[in-house]
């Protein structure tokens, strides 16, 4: 067999094999075997020394042509295989952008949390501290320190959950104020605080009563505090919560821990005083209780009642929410019905 035929055969065999290869490693192996120093083409070129002088350049040129064609075939196959790898990867990672997306359901803070946050933020802006206290409370702080000794008739005003003879579920957030007054250093400045939180009463649940509800109580103790300070504070609060046009009126009342004590009405935000079902056609809505801190409460906390005085007030976020949004059943707040709660999307 002459060298030319040998080269043609080499080309035929290897060109086919290159075309069949489906693996990059295998293709590389073919390249090394075919074109390397010990490969068949090198071997053919070595045989050229036996050729005649005029045949040698022709066969040499032909051999180089075969070598170059095979190199091209390997390069083309390599590119095709690499492209196939990319295509396979792309196919596996395909995302169908026409599929419907997952709906993200955004929650919203509970309506009572929204109202409490709003009132807290308001008072922080007025220089008050927000102070938490225990829900399981001592009789001492819940009653005794607030001028409600044992057998005091005022204890009947609050049906209390007792855990034992000394421990109870707090019936008001005022014990937090008693605890704070006790430790506050009045030489460092006045005490201005609110105590928001859950309270508990032994009530039978119905549309207007719940065995748990919320309070935000406020307390200011300093020298020279008067009832005018209380009235100004409450007017500004009522206008913040119920609208800038609101007015307030104070009516005499009784609480054991304040003297004098007042019930606070706000002018009806629905009818502006003309009369409607919300204000029971009186033009006024009762929204909170307040008063000047009783000297007995100051003395019990070790505060000199001759030098210091102050005011206290307590409001019910549950009642505020019911009034503001026309909710007629307090139990709605505590039943966790998302259909009800999701109506109160947070503003802003
Ligand atoms: Zn009204």
């Amino acid at each position: 067999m002459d060298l030319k035929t040998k080269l043609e055969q080499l080309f035929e065999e290897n060109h086919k094999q290159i075309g069949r290869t489906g693996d990059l490693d295998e293709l590389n192996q073919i390249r090394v075997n075919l074109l390397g120093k010990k490969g068949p083409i090198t071997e053919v070129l070595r045989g050229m020394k036996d050729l005649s002088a005029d045949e040698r350049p022709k066969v040499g040129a032909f051999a180089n042509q075969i070598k170059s064609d095979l190199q091209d075939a390997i390069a083309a196959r390599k590119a095709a295989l690499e492209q196939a790898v990319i295509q396979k990867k792309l196919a596996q990672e395909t995302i169908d952008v026409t599929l419907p997306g997952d709906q993200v359901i955004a929650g919203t803070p509970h309506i009572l949390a929204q109202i409490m946050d709003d009132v807290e933020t308001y008072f922080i802006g007025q220089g008050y501290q927000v102070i938490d206290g225990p829900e399981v409370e001592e009789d001492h702080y819940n009653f005794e320190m607030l001028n409600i000794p044992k057998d005091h008739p005022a204890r009947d005003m609050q049906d209390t959950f007792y855990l034992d003879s000394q421990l109870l579920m707090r019936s008001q957030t005022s014990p937090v104020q008693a605890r704070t007054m006790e430790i506050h250093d009045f030489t460092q400045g006045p005490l201005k605080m609110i105590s928001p939180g859950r309270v508990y009463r032994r009530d039978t649940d119905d549309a207007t009563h719940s065995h748990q509800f919320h309070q935000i109580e406020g307390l200011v103790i300093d020298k020279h505090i008067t009832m005018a300070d209380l009235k100004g504070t409450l007017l500004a609060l009522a206008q913040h919560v119920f609208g800038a046009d609101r007015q307030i009126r104070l009516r005499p009342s009784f609480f054991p821990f304040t003297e004098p004590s007042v019930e606070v009405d706000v002018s009806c935000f629905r009818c502006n005083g003309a009369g409607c079902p919300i204000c029971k056609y009186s033009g006024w809505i009762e929204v909170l209780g307040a008063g000047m801190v009783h000297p007995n409460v100051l003395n019990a906390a070790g505060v000199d009642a001759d030098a210091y005085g102050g005011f206290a007030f307590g409001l019910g976020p549950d009642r505020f929410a019911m009034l503001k949004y026309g909710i007629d059943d307090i139990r709605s707040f505590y039943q966790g019905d998302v259909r009800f709660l999701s109506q109160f999307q947070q503003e802003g």
Side-chain angles (χ1 to χ4, degrees):
M1 196 190 296
D2 67 12
L3 286 182
K4 202 173 168 219
T5 316
K6 219 170 180 177
L7 284 167
E8 276 167 352
Q9 244 178 32
L10 257 176
F11 180 82
E12 284 303 317
E13 281 167 18
N14 286 288
H15 194 265
K16 269 185 199 151
Q17 207 189 341
I18 289 164
R20 278 197 303 266
T21 302
D23 183 88
L24 280 166
D25 290 340
E26 194 185 327
L27 184 68
N28 193 44
Q29 201 54 52
I30 291 170
R31 184 183 61 80
V32 171
N33 291 344
L34 187 62
L35 307 172
K37 280 179 183 163
K38 292 174 182 167
I41 293 179
T42 312
E43 198 180 310
V44 169
L45 292 174
R46 260 190 219 119
M48 280 172 42
K49 64 181 187 304
D50 301 329
L51 294 176
S52 64
D54 61 327
E55 260 187 316
R56 207 176 292 158
K58 288 179 196 162
V59 175
F62 186 66
N64 282 332
Q65 185 60 48
I66 294 292
K67 193 176 175 181
S68 163
D69 286 352
L70 285 171
Q71 277 170 336
D72 287 350
I74 288 168
R77 188 65 190 155
K78 190 179 177 212
L81 287 176
E82 282 170 349
Q83 191 59 34
V85 169
I86 291 168
Q87 289 303 331
K88 193 178 169 192
K89 216 170 176 182
L90 284 176
Q92 281 168 348
E93 292 172 0
T94 293
I95 297 166
D96 183 354
V97 294
T98 66
L99 282 173
D102 294 332
Q103 195 185 353
V104 178
I105 297 170
T108 186
H110 192 284
I111 177 61
L112 293 177
Q114 290 181 38
I115 289 200
M116 291 173 80
D117 281 351
D118 175 57
V119 173
E120 284 175 29
T121 305
Y122 170 78
F123 276 110
I124 288 168
Q126 306 286 324
Y128 285 64
Q129 298 177 72
V130 179
I131 301 179
D132 281 327
E135 291 182 17
V136 173
E137 184 55 278
E138 293 170 33
D139 183 286
H140 176 70
Y141 286 103
N142 196 79
F143 288 124
E144 306 249 340
M145 282 194 64
L146 299 168
N147 198 29
I148 316 173
K150 291 217 160 37
D151 305 321
H152 191 287
R155 290 208 182 197
D156 295 339
M157 290 163 70
Q158 299 180 4
D159 284 320
T160 308
F161 286 114
Y162 274 92
L163 302 173
D164 60 32
S165 62
Q166 292 306 316
L167 282 181
L168 47 80
M169 300 303 291
R170 68 179 180 192
S171 59
Q172 48 196 355
T173 52
S174 327
V176 184
Q177 303 179 335
R179 286 173 176 277
T180 310
M181 261 191 285
E182 213 173 34
I183 57 173
H184 184 79
D185 181 359
F186 285 92
T187 64
Q188 299 299 308
L191 172 61
K192 292 173 78 179
M193 63 171 288
I194 58 167
S195 48
R198 260 188 220 101
V199 300
Y200 303 86
R201 304 271 173 97
R202 230 152 28 82
D203 261 330
T204 304
D205 289 1
D206 62 25
T208 54
H209 296 85
S210 172
H211 65 279
Q212 66 160 22
F213 54 99
H214 294 78
Q215 279 189 343
I216 300 175
E217 293 193 63
L219 176 70
V220 173
I221 306 276
D222 197 3
K223 291 173 176 167
H224 315 302
I225 299 282
T226 72
M227 198 124 183
D229 297 314
L230 172 61
K231 195 173 177 186
T233 300
L234 295 177
L235 176 61
L237 172 65
Q239 292 179 339
H240 171 75
V241 176
F242 294 108
D245 299 333
R246 301 280 68 77
Q247 292 301 313
I248 59 167
R249 71 174 186 189
L250 309 185
R251 288 179 289 109
S253 184
F254 169 78
F255 303 111
F257 26 78
T258 47
E259 179 59 36
S261 302
V262 290
E263 298 279 359
V264 182
D265 297 340
V266 63
S267 59
C268 182
F269 50 84
R270 186 60 52 83
C271 66
N272 239 338
C276 74
I278 290 181
C279 59
K280 302 193 182 82
Y281 300 96
S282 71
W284 296 93
I285 303 169
E286 185 188 320
V287 288
L288 52 84
M292 304 306 289
V293 179
H294 198 293
N296 289 354
V297 173
L298 294 170
N299 288 329
V303 181
D304 180 0
D306 292 328
Y308 290 93
F311 61 78
F313 57 89
L315 58 94
D318 303 66
R319 179 158 168 75
F320 274 28
M322 290 172 82
L323 286 170
K324 201 167 174 182
Y325 296 103
I327 297 159
D328 54 12
D329 193 332
I330 193 173
R331 291 170 294 192
S332 311
F333 297 132
Y334 300 106
Q335 288 165 340
D337 186 338
V338 174
R339 291 169 303 177
F340 169 78
L341 297 173
S342 63
Q343 297 174 89
F344 307 103
Q345 298 291 327
Q346 195 157 34
E347 293 158 19

